[in-house]
Structure formats: C-alpha cells, structure tokens
Amino acid sequence: VRQFEQQILPSGFPMTTVWGYGKLGDPLPGEGPSTFNSPSFTFDVQKDEKVQVTWVNQLVDDPASPEPKFLPHLLPVDQTVHWAEPENNPVMEPYPYLGPVPIITHVHGAHVASHSDGLPDAWYLPAASDIPAEYSDRGVDYQSQGTPTPGSAIFQYSNDQRAATLWYHDHTLGITRNNVYAGLAGFWLLHDEVEAAMNLPGPAPKLDDAVGTKYFDVPIAIQDRTFNSDGSLFYPDSREFFDGYAGLYRPETQIAPIWNPEFFGDVMMVNGKTWPFLEVEPRLYRLRLLNGCNSRFLVLKFDQELDFTQIGTEGGFLPDKPITLTELLLSPAERADVIVDFSKFEPGTEIVLLNQGPDSPFQRLPIDPEEMADEETTGRVMMFKVVEKTDQGIEGEIPTELPTIERLTTEIEDRPLVLVEMMDMEEDIPVEAQLGTLKDGKLEFWAPTTELINEGDTEPWLLINFTGDAHPIHLHLVHFQVIERIPFDVGQFSQDYEKYMQATDDITTPNPLDYVTGPAEPPLAWETGWKDTVIAYPGYYTRIIANFDMAGKYVWHCHILEHEDNEMMRPFEVVTVK
C-alpha cells in the first residue's frame, strides 16, 4: 500500500492523492511502469491455486529511506469511536487522529483460514522511524505466516472455491470507511473448469497485455466520491455534515464528533474515473459489477431498451439458468455477474448506465421518484459508446444452463440475531448501529463472543431488523443461501423486546413467531445462488443458512462502512468439537 497521485477527475482538472495496492518495489505512477492504482489491480487466480501474498504497509514518505517518516491519513479519523487505537489510549476529544495509519487486508468472499482472513483487529503500522515508543505497531489479532518484515503480514489463500467474483479491501477496525474511501480496494477473480467450459465472452484484462487489446470480460467497480476544488478527496470532518448537529460531543455526550452515520458522495466513480465511458462493440460483454460504495445502494438500469442477463452473484453462478432483469439492485459489497448484448446497436450509439437508487439511506424497492439519485450527477454512472466490430476476443454466448446448486438443510434451530440502532434520546439522532442476540440484546464489538459454532455444522441465522433502514449483512469465511424473508410487527415487537431487556426478573425471551404479519417471501431470483452479503430489510426477518466448515475466529457485520466502523460488527467463532 502506497500513496500517490492519480487522474480521477477529467483531464484538465487537478490530480487526486489516493492510496492503492501495487507490486512491492514498483515505481509509483508517473515514475515508470507501475501496478499501483486506485482501485487496485486484479488478482486473477484459478480454483485450488495456492497463493501467498505479503501485504506491506508503506504509508510512509519514502520507503527507500533509512529513516522513513509515517504519512498522515488523507481523511479525518474519529478517535472517539472504538477503533484500532495504536496509541493505546482512547481519545475522547473532537480532533482527528493523524497517523501513523494502520491497515489490514480482507479478501471479501474468500474461504480462508482465520490467520489470513484480515480480521479488523489484526492491523499493523508501517515500518516508520518516527512512531512514538508507546504506540503498538500491531493489533491484538495480528497473525502472519512465515517471517514477515516490520510493517507487513504474510497471508495464504487456498482458493478452494467455485469460480466467483470476489474483491479485496482494507478492514481496519474503526477506519475501514476511511481506508477504503482513500482507495484500498480491488477485484479478486477466481476461475475454474466449469467456467472455462461455458464459452463466455472474453478475455478479461491481464498484466502486460499488448496496447490495444480488446476486452469483453470487464470488472466494473462503482463507487461514489466527493472532491474538493483542488482535486483532493472530501470526506466529512464533523458530524454536523450529516444532520446539522453541532455538539455537544463526546465525552460530554455519547455522540461522536467526526463519525457520520452514512456518507453519500456527489460524483460517481468507476474503476478510478469519474463518469467514464467504455467503448463497446455490437456483441456480448460480460460485466462484473461491484457496489464498492461506503453507504450507497445502487439500482442500475440502462437509458435504452437493454437488459442484464445475470449469471452469477458473490459466490459464483446462479443455479440452473440465467435470469433476465431490466434493473439491478446492489447493496454495498454485493456483486452481479452479468452479460449484456450490445449487438442491436449501431456504431456511434451512446448508452448511459443509470443509477436510480436514493441519495440517502435505502429501505426497499420501489424507489419513490422524488427520492431517486440526482439525474445530473449520482443518477449517471458511466457511458457505453458503440464502435465498429472487430474479430478480437472470444465472441461467447449466453449460457442456457448453469450448474445446479444443492440447497442446504439442517435440523439445527435458527440462531436469532438482532439489528438495532442506538439513539440519543435528548437529540433524537443516531449514535451508532449495533448487532446482538435476541437473548442478550445489542452488543458492542468488544463484548464476549456469543456466536460459538461447532465446526462442520450447518446453521440457519434469523436476522431481526429493528431499524428503519436496510442493511447489507456480510459473513466472513462462508458463502450462504437465502432461505426467506418474513414480515413482522416492528412496533409491537420493539415494545415487548424493550420490556424484556429492562426486566429485573427472569422473563421469557419474546418469540419472533408471535409477531409475524404475513407469509414468508422466498429469495428473489438473483438471490438464489451462493451469497456472502444479504440485504436485511426493515420490518423483516431475513433467514440465511451456511455450513461453517473451518475452525477459527471470524466476524459478521453490516457492510455500510460507516456502520461497521461504529459497532455494527460482531465476532463469531467456529470451534472444533473433540
């Protein structure tokens, strides 16, 4: 990980200082051929191909210097939330932490041992000469394979999974939102023989491809950003930005001075370019779409009569056959593997990919037209410009059949878990979002682990969303299946649950089934495959099921980054039964 400048805004505008991953020892962009980019280059791997990565924190002024100095963060870091705290001293003052900056990398969707998962408290600092002696240079969960040099960790990935569109990003406790927003993300594409036999459009980009190579399998990372007039990234430095609340802050109240409950940028960025275009030929294209936004849900559609043929989600191909959609809903961290047929369009045609999701927290579809993204800014994602057809690449085809997926079953009862929002009652504003258990209520991230799962067990989880918004819930280690969603009486259940939590005597935990208000709803067509992130809608129980086949410590959390950075994350542990 290094800091560099990149032309994200259109040519003629200032460059933007960002962070990105690249090959150790490569020059930075502008200094020679470089793999450093934001978002970062793609890992392209085969099923069962063992990969070892040394992740190096080089957020210093000059890694080649005998005494490198650490760089400050590009963005304001709130020290009053529960975060990595390298200084070992919780700070409750309203000024931002400046550095040194901890990092830890998580391959999102990877079936990986705990030591290489990128746990949020496994962070580490750069090897800088000016780090104060009282600082810790590693988090409490830091692990590494082999013998790492200072400022690095060696992780191992077995890639023992089906073909899938994964991604990697920073996961540091309490500053994931800052580090990902600064640029620390990229694709991790996993291939297998089943995919290779399907005659899909291709190729995808490869390192050292000849200039002018045409690509028909294109990873597309969609993110929203806001920029200052000098080209630098803007991110709020006060809670006032979100809802106008100007204090009092911690320690006088529970309200964090810098953290914002959500953040929505005013510029759409695709693969590190603002409102870009892609030249496409009149033929099939495979597009791997990632919602890499911090908080924004995307509702994607074309401005012309053009469909998405979806063949896969986060965990690989959909079961049995593709589905045709006129719009795609993607919550933060979700991916959609789609084929788009541009063959009916004449060269010179311009097609815009629109976003009709809201510029605000998402509840569910359909979106009120008055709530849709600004059609002049965040409502426009990118353009496809149709050009003359060539004979390059693999023409490919839309598959008529996809691999069958066996549905998971179990005799184990549902594990009931709650999604709640902590409010400041005097100001009536959100303080933090939290997870917990039905029995124990809301729990902070640091509370003892309540989800202890026997290795090899297949468990159903019942996610009870008491909040007013939808939350993309991500589980590490596993891919799961969505069973169903069940509507429930939020108001009555909330009242009875509050009485239960405040009771001084031993009373029975409320039974979720007593509050059901309608029939269970099956997963949507695009949710019937393997998932690692699921939308938990307000007013619904969301039931998922997974097989937990590897012992170790992991986490589950909301993937609205502002939420996971302020307590909407909990550990779970898979334990070996002796």
Coordinates of all heavy atoms in Angstrom, one line a residue, residues 36-88:
F36 N 0.7 0.2 -9.3 CA -0.1 0.9 -8.3 C -1.3 1.7 -9.0 O -1.1 2.4 -9.9 CB 0.8 1.9 -7.5 CG 1.7 1.2 -6.5 CD1 2.9 0.9 -6.8 CD2 1.2 1.0 -5.3 CE1 3.8 0.2 -5.9 CE2 2.0 0.3 -4.3 CZ 3.3 -0.1 -4.7
N37 N -2.5 1.4 -8.4 CA -3.7 2.1 -9.0 C -4.7 2.1 -7.9 O -4.6 1.4 -6.9 CB -4.2 1.3 -10.2 CG -5.1 2.1 -11.1 OD1 -4.6 3.0 -11.8 ND2 -6.4 1.9 -11.0
S38 N -5.7 2.9 -8.1 CA -6.8 3.0 -7.2 C -8.1 3.2 -7.9 O -8.3 4.2 -8.6 CB -6.7 4.3 -6.2 OG -7.8 4.4 -5.4
P39 N -9.1 2.2 -7.9 CA -8.9 0.9 -7.2 C -7.8 0.1 -7.8 O -7.4 0.3 -8.9 CB -10.3 0.2 -7.3 CG -10.9 0.8 -8.5 CD -10.4 2.3 -8.6
S40 N -7.4 -0.9 -7.0 CA -6.1 -1.6 -7.4 C -6.3 -2.7 -8.4 O -7.4 -3.1 -8.7 CB -5.5 -2.1 -6.1 OG -5.3 -1.0 -5.2
F41 N -5.2 -3.2 -8.9 CA -5.2 -4.2 -9.9 C -5.8 -5.5 -9.4 O -5.9 -5.7 -8.2 CB -3.8 -4.5 -10.4 CG -3.2 -3.5 -11.5 CD1 -3.8 -2.3 -11.6 CD2 -2.2 -3.8 -12.3 CE1 -3.3 -1.4 -12.6 CE2 -1.7 -2.9 -13.2 CZ -2.3 -1.7 -13.4
T42 N -6.2 -6.3 -10.3 CA -7.0 -7.5 -10.0 C -6.1 -8.7 -9.8 O -5.1 -8.9 -10.5 CB -7.9 -7.8 -11.2 OG1 -8.9 -6.8 -11.3 CG2 -8.7 -9.2 -11.0
F43 N -6.4 -9.5 -8.7 CA -5.8 -10.8 -8.6 C -6.6 -11.8 -9.4 O -7.8 -11.9 -9.3 CB -5.9 -11.2 -7.1 CG -4.8 -10.6 -6.2 CD1 -5.0 -9.3 -5.7 CD2 -3.7 -11.3 -5.9 CE1 -4.1 -8.7 -4.9 CE2 -2.7 -10.7 -5.0 CZ -3.0 -9.4 -4.5
D44 N -5.9 -12.5 -10.3 CA -6.6 -13.4 -11.2 C -6.1 -14.8 -10.9 O -4.9 -15.1 -11.2 CB -6.3 -13.0 -12.7 CG -7.2 -13.7 -13.7 OD1 -8.3 -13.1 -13.9 OD2 -6.8 -14.8 -14.2
V45 N -6.9 -15.7 -10.3 CA -6.4 -17.0 -9.8 C -7.3 -18.1 -10.2 O -8.5 -17.9 -10.6 CB -6.3 -16.9 -8.3 CG1 -5.3 -15.8 -7.8 CG2 -7.7 -16.7 -7.6
Q46 N -6.8 -19.3 -10.2 CA -7.5 -20.5 -10.5 C -8.0 -21.2 -9.3 O -7.3 -21.1 -8.2 CB -6.7 -21.4 -11.4 CG -6.3 -20.9 -12.7 CD -7.5 -20.7 -13.7 OE1 -8.4 -21.6 -13.7 NE2 -7.5 -19.6 -14.4
K47 N -9.0 -22.0 -9.4 CA -9.5 -22.8 -8.3 C -8.4 -23.7 -7.8 O -7.7 -24.3 -8.6 CB -10.7 -23.6 -8.7 CG -11.3 -24.5 -7.6 CD -12.5 -25.2 -8.1 CE -13.3 -25.9 -7.0 NZ -12.5 -26.8 -6.1
D48 N -8.2 -23.8 -6.5 CA -7.2 -24.6 -5.8 C -5.8 -24.2 -6.1 O -4.8 -24.9 -5.7 CB -7.3 -26.1 -6.2 CG -8.7 -26.7 -5.7 OD1 -9.1 -26.3 -4.6 OD2 -9.3 -27.5 -6.5
E49 N -5.6 -23.0 -6.7 CA -4.3 -22.4 -6.8 C -3.9 -21.7 -5.5 O -4.5 -20.8 -5.1 CB -4.2 -21.4 -8.0 CG -2.9 -20.7 -8.2 CD -2.9 -19.6 -9.2 OE1 -4.0 -19.4 -9.8 OE2 -1.9 -19.0 -9.5
K50 N -2.9 -22.3 -4.9 CA -2.4 -21.7 -3.6 C -1.7 -20.4 -3.8 O -0.7 -20.4 -4.7 CB -1.6 -22.7 -2.8 CG -2.4 -23.9 -2.3 CD -1.6 -24.9 -1.5 CE -2.5 -25.9 -0.9 NZ -3.3 -26.7 -1.9
V51 N -2.1 -19.4 -3.2 CA -1.5 -18.0 -3.4 C -1.0 -17.5 -2.0 O -1.7 -17.5 -1.0 CB -2.5 -17.1 -4.0 CG1 -2.0 -15.6 -4.0 CG2 -2.9 -17.5 -5.4
Q52 N 0.2 -17.0 -2.0 CA 0.7 -16.3 -0.8 C 1.0 -14.9 -1.1 O 1.6 -14.5 -2.2 CB 2.0 -17.0 -0.3 CG 2.6 -16.3 0.9 CD 3.8 -17.0 1.5 OE1 3.6 -18.1 2.1 NE2 5.0 -16.5 1.3
V53 N 0.4 -14.0 -0.3 CA 0.6 -12.5 -0.5 C 1.2 -11.9 0.7 O 0.8 -12.1 1.8 CB -0.8 -11.9 -0.8 CG1 -0.6 -10.4 -1.0 CG2 -1.5 -12.5 -1.9
T54 N 2.3 -11.1 0.5 CA 2.8 -10.3 1.5 C 2.2 -8.9 1.4 O 2.5 -8.2 0.4 CB 4.4 -10.2 1.4 OG1 4.9 -11.6 1.5 CG2 4.9 -9.4 2.6
W55 N 1.4 -8.5 2.3 CA 0.7 -7.2 2.3 C 1.6 -6.3 3.1 O 1.8 -6.5 4.3 CB -0.7 -7.3 3.0 CG -1.6 -8.3 2.3 CD1 -1.9 -9.5 2.8 CD2 -2.4 -8.1 1.1 NE1 -2.9 -10.1 2.0 CE2 -3.2 -9.3 0.9 CE3 -2.5 -7.1 0.2 CZ2 -4.0 -9.5 -0.1 CZ3 -3.4 -7.2 -0.8 CH2 -4.1 -8.4 -1.0
V56 N 2.1 -5.3 2.5 CA 3.1 -4.4 3.1 C 2.5 -3.0 3.3 O 2.0 -2.4 2.3 CB 4.4 -4.3 2.3 CG1 5.4 -3.4 3.0 CG2 4.9 -5.6 1.9
N57 N 2.5 -2.5 4.5 CA 2.1 -1.1 4.8 C 3.2 -0.1 4.5 O 4.2 0.0 5.3 CB 1.6 -1.0 6.2 CG 1.0 0.3 6.6 OD1 1.1 1.3 5.8 ND2 0.3 0.4 7.7
Q58 N 3.2 0.6 3.4 CA 4.2 1.5 3.0 C 3.6 3.0 3.0 O 4.0 3.8 2.1 CB 4.9 1.2 1.7 CG 5.9 0.0 1.9 CD 6.8 -0.1 0.7 OE1 6.6 0.4 -0.4 NE2 7.9 -0.9 0.9
L59 N 2.8 3.3 4.0 CA 2.2 4.6 4.1 C 3.2 5.5 4.8 O 3.0 5.9 5.9 CB 0.9 4.6 4.8 CG -0.2 3.9 3.9 CD1 -1.5 3.8 4.7 CD2 -0.5 4.7 2.6
V60 N 4.4 5.7 4.1 CA 5.5 6.5 4.6 C 5.9 7.4 3.5 O 5.6 7.2 2.3 CB 6.7 5.6 5.1 CG1 6.2 4.8 6.3 CG2 7.1 4.7 4.0
D61 N 6.7 8.4 3.8 CA 7.2 9.4 2.8 C 8.1 8.8 1.8 O 8.0 9.1 0.6 CB 7.8 10.6 3.5 CG 9.0 10.2 4.4 OD1 9.3 9.0 4.6 OD2 9.6 11.2 4.9
D62 N 9.0 7.9 2.2 CA 10.0 7.3 1.2 C 10.4 5.9 1.8 O 11.2 5.8 2.6 CB 11.2 8.2 1.1 CG 12.2 7.6 0.1 OD1 11.9 6.6 -0.6 OD2 13.3 8.2 -0.1
P63 N 9.8 4.8 1.2 CA 10.2 3.5 1.7 C 11.7 3.2 1.6 O 12.2 2.3 2.3 CB 9.3 2.6 0.9 CG 8.2 3.4 0.3 CD 8.8 4.8 0.2
A64 N 12.3 3.8 0.6 CA 13.7 3.6 0.4 C 14.7 4.3 1.4 O 15.9 4.0 1.5 CB 14.1 3.9 -1.0
S65 N 14.1 5.2 2.1 CA 14.9 6.0 3.1 C 15.3 5.1 4.3 O 14.5 4.2 4.7 CB 14.1 7.2 3.6 OG 14.7 7.8 4.7
P66 N 16.5 5.3 4.8 CA 16.9 4.6 6.0 C 16.0 4.9 7.3 O 15.9 4.1 8.2 CB 18.3 4.9 6.3 CG 18.5 6.2 5.5 CD 17.6 6.2 4.4
E67 N 15.4 6.1 7.2 CA 14.5 6.5 8.3 C 13.2 7.1 7.7 O 13.0 8.3 7.8 CB 15.2 7.6 9.2 CG 16.4 7.0 9.9 CD 17.0 8.0 10.9 OE1 16.6 9.2 10.9 OE2 17.8 7.6 11.7
P68 N 12.4 6.3 7.2 CA 11.1 6.8 6.6 C 10.2 7.3 7.7 O 10.2 6.9 8.8 CB 10.5 5.5 5.9 CG 11.1 4.4 6.7 CD 12.5 4.8 7.1
K69 N 9.5 8.4 7.3 CA 8.5 9.0 8.2 C 7.1 8.6 7.8 O 6.7 8.6 6.6 CB 8.6 10.5 8.2 CG 10.1 11.0 8.5 CD 10.5 10.7 9.9 CE 11.8 11.5 10.3 NZ 12.9 11.0 9.5
F70 N 6.2 8.4 8.8 CA 4.9 8.0 8.5 C 4.1 9.1 7.9 O 4.3 10.3 8.2 CB 4.2 7.4 9.7 CG 3.8 8.4 10.8 CD1 2.8 9.3 10.7 CD2 4.6 8.4 12.0 CE1 2.5 10.2 11.7 CE2 4.3 9.3 13.0 CZ 3.2 10.2 12.9
L71 N 3.1 8.8 7.0 CA 2.2 9.7 6.4 C 1.0 9.9 7.3 O 0.5 8.9 7.8 CB 1.9 9.3 5.0 CG 3.0 9.3 4.0 CD1 2.5 8.6 2.7 CD2 3.6 10.7 3.7
P72 N 0.4 11.1 7.3 CA -0.9 11.2 8.0 C -2.0 10.7 7.1 O -1.8 10.4 6.0 CB -1.0 12.8 8.1 CG -0.2 13.3 7.0 CD 0.9 12.4 6.8
H73 N -3.1 10.5 7.8 CA -4.3 10.0 7.0 C -4.7 11.1 6.0 O -4.6 12.3 6.3 CB -5.4 9.6 7.9 CG -6.3 8.5 7.3 ND1 -7.0 8.7 6.2 CD2 -6.4 7.2 7.7 CE1 -7.7 7.5 5.9 NE2 -7.3 6.6 6.8
L74 N -5.2 10.7 4.9 CA -5.8 11.6 3.9 C -7.1 12.2 4.4 O -7.5 13.3 3.9 CB -6.0 10.9 2.6 CG -4.8 10.4 1.8 CD1 -5.3 9.7 0.5 CD2 -3.8 11.5 1.5
L75 N -7.8 11.5 5.3 CA -9.1 11.8 5.7 C -9.2 11.9 7.2 O -8.4 11.3 7.9 CB -10.1 10.8 5.1 CG -10.0 10.4 3.6 CD1 -10.8 9.2 3.3 CD2 -10.4 11.6 2.8
P76 N -10.2 12.6 7.7 CA -10.4 12.8 9.1 C -10.8 11.5 9.8 O -11.8 10.8 9.4 CB -11.5 13.9 9.3 CG -12.2 13.9 8.0 CD -11.2 13.4 6.9
V77 N -10.0 11.1 10.8 CA -10.3 9.9 11.6 C -10.8 10.2 13.0 O -10.2 11.0 13.7 CB -9.0 9.0 11.7 CG1 -9.2 7.9 12.7 CG2 -8.5 8.5 10.4
D78 N -12.0 9.7 13.3 CA -12.6 9.9 14.6 C -12.0 9.0 15.6 O -12.2 7.8 15.6 CB -14.1 9.7 14.5 CG -14.9 10.3 15.6 OD1 -14.4 10.2 16.8 OD2 -16.0 10.8 15.4
Q79 N -11.3 9.6 16.6 CA -10.7 8.8 17.6 C -11.6 8.4 18.8 O -11.2 7.6 19.6 CB -9.5 9.6 18.3 CG -8.5 10.1 17.3 CD -7.4 10.9 18.0 OE1 -6.4 10.3 18.5 NE2 -7.5 12.2 18.0
T80 N -12.8 8.9 18.8 CA -13.7 8.6 19.9 C -14.5 7.4 19.7 O -15.2 6.9 20.6 CB -14.7 9.8 20.1 OG1 -15.7 9.9 19.1 CG2 -13.9 11.1 20.2
V81 N -14.6 6.8 18.4 CA -15.2 5.5 18.2 C -14.3 4.4 18.6 O -13.1 4.6 18.8 CB -15.7 5.4 16.8 CG1 -16.6 6.5 16.4 CG2 -14.5 5.3 15.8
H82 N -14.8 3.2 18.8 CA -13.9 2.1 19.1 C -13.2 1.7 17.8 O -13.8 1.2 16.9 CB -14.8 0.9 19.6 CG -14.0 -0.3 19.9 ND1 -14.6 -1.6 19.7 CD2 -12.8 -0.5 20.3 CE1 -13.7 -2.5 20.0 NE2 -12.6 -1.9 20.4
W83 N -11.9 1.9 17.8 CA -11.1 1.7 16.6 C -9.8 1.1 17.0 O -9.6 0.6 18.1 CB -11.0 3.0 15.8 CG -10.0 4.0 16.3 CD1 -10.0 4.7 17.4 CD2 -8.7 4.3 15.6 NE1 -8.9 5.5 17.5 CE2 -8.1 5.3 16.4 CE3 -8.1 3.9 14.4 CZ2 -6.9 5.8 16.1 CZ3 -6.9 4.4 14.1 CH2 -6.3 5.4 14.9
A84 N -8.8 1.0 16.0 CA -7.6 0.3 16.2 C -6.8 0.9 17.4 O -6.1 0.2 18.1 CB -6.8 0.4 14.9
E85 N -6.7 2.2 17.6 CA -6.1 2.9 18.7 C -4.6 2.5 18.9 O -4.2 1.9 19.9 CB -6.8 2.7 20.0 CG -8.2 3.3 20.0 CD -9.0 2.9 21.2 OE1 -8.5 2.2 22.1 OE2 -10.2 3.4 21.3
P86 N -3.7 2.7 17.9 CA -2.3 2.3 18.1 C -1.7 3.0 19.3 O -0.7 2.4 19.8 CB -1.7 2.8 16.8 CG -2.8 3.0 15.8 CD -4.0 3.3 16.6
E87 N -2.2 4.2 19.7 CA -1.6 4.9 20.8 C -1.9 4.3 22.1 O -1.5 4.7 23.2 CB -1.9 6.4 20.8 CG -3.4 6.7 21.1 CD -4.3 6.7 19.8 OE1 -4.3 5.6 19.1 OE2 -4.9 7.7 19.5
N88 N -2.8 3.2 22.1 CA -3.2 2.5 23.4 C -3.8 3.4 24.4 O -3.8 3.2 25.6 CB -2.0 1.8 24.0 CG -1.4 0.8 23.1 OD1 -2.1 -0.1 22.6 ND2 -0.1 0.8 22.9

